[in-house]
Amino acid sequence: MQYLLLVLVAVVALITGWFGRTIMDRRRVNGEQAEQSPVDWTAIEPGEREMVKSVVQLGDTIVRDVMVPRTDMVFIEAGKTLEQALSLALRSGFSRVPVVGENTDDIVGIAYMKDMVAWQHEHPEAETTEKVATLMRPASFVPDSKPVDELLRQMQARRIHVSIVIDEYGGTAGLVTIEDILEEIVGEITDEYDNEQPPVERLDNGTVRVTARLPVADLEELFGVSVQAEDVETVAGLLAHELGRVPIAGSTATVNGLRLTAEKNLAGRRNKIGTVLVEPVGSPA
């Protein structure tokens, strides 16, 4: 997976360099103007044409449009131990976890799993006492209004894979990775651990497995209930709303007579949970 990302970054660098003078600096061109650019689109294969157009449109895309929102982020407190940090990384599927100080608007660093594993191997007796803050790396911050193509070049130059996104008030808006940017160009990046999951799968005893991104409206229709939760659009968002934190595998909450249980996402990437088990447990309160 890492090698694929490196190759894609190299390809993007070549493409952005090729079109840099004629197209990329025109940040506010619309789709129609892009069609009238000096590129001979008919000489490019359809699939490649769409990829090139996606690269061109990076100049019109800002970080806010591609970031992982704050509500989908997993954090760890600076005072937690190395053992706790490793456990969180393994359960959530993230190899880089933001470290917070006083609150989630106070990001003090990034904990890398490879650093923690290496340190644990060298000091196995101290994993329960060593604080994650001693191993974290400095965090990189970026405004949510920054153009994505600029951020990609910046991340390449600084050799970083993740940046914390800051809103206009200085608070944490989300995070963005190189993979998020590349997926804007080539579409969803999958690997051998990714599995296609049907939106709804009926199991025994009335239990239903649904994708974490299933709209709440579909859940309501499926079980004949009405869910009252503001600013919640997906089942994963509903579970997070009820828990008051980002759900990970095993997290459970009951909403309107439905027990929601998060399941592990085998992809182990930024979508922490892939599916949610929904089980009727009685009449809604």
Side-chain angles (χ1 to χ4, degrees), residues 72-76 84-98 113 246-249 263-274:
D72 285 349
M73 291 174 61
V74 166
F75 305 90
I76 188 165
Q84 291 172 314
L86 276 173
S87 175
L88 176 62
L90 291 171
R91 286 183 291 124
S92 66
F94 292 105
S95 60
R96 302 174 182 91
V97 180
M113 179 182 282
V246 176
I248 59 177
E263 291 191 299
K264 183 176 178 60
N265 178 20
L266 296 180
R269 297 208 328 261
R270 65 184 178 94
N271 294 325
K272 301 154 296 302
I273 57 172

Side-chain angles (χ1 to χ4, degrees), residues 66-68 96 155 161-163 175-182 270:
V66 302
M67 71 179 185
V68 177
R96 302 174 182 91
M155 294 178 82
H161 289 263
V162 59
S163 291
L175 65 79
V176 63
T177 68
I178 282 186
E179 182 180 331
D180 295 325
I181 300 174
L182 294 179
R270 65 184 178 94

Side-chain angles (χ1 to χ4, degrees), residues 175-230:
L175 65 79
V176 63
T177 68
I178 282 186
E179 182 180 331
D180 295 325
I181 300 174
L182 294 179
E183 286 184 343
E184 285 297 300
I185 301 170
V186 301
E188 188 73 18
I189 298 173
T190 60
D191 57 29
E192 65 271 24
Y193 299 105
D194 290 323
N195 294 322
E196 284 294 326
Q197 180 69 36
V200 176
E201 180 184 359
R202 295 187 180 277
L203 306 175
D204 297 332
N205 303 322
T207 301
V208 176
R209 175 180 287 118
V210 302
T211 61
R213 296 296 178 181
L214 185 78
V216 170
D218 290 357
L219 180 71
E220 292 176 319
E221 182 178 351
L222 190 63
F223 288 92
V225 299
S226 178
V227 176
Q228 302 299 324
E230 295 183 1

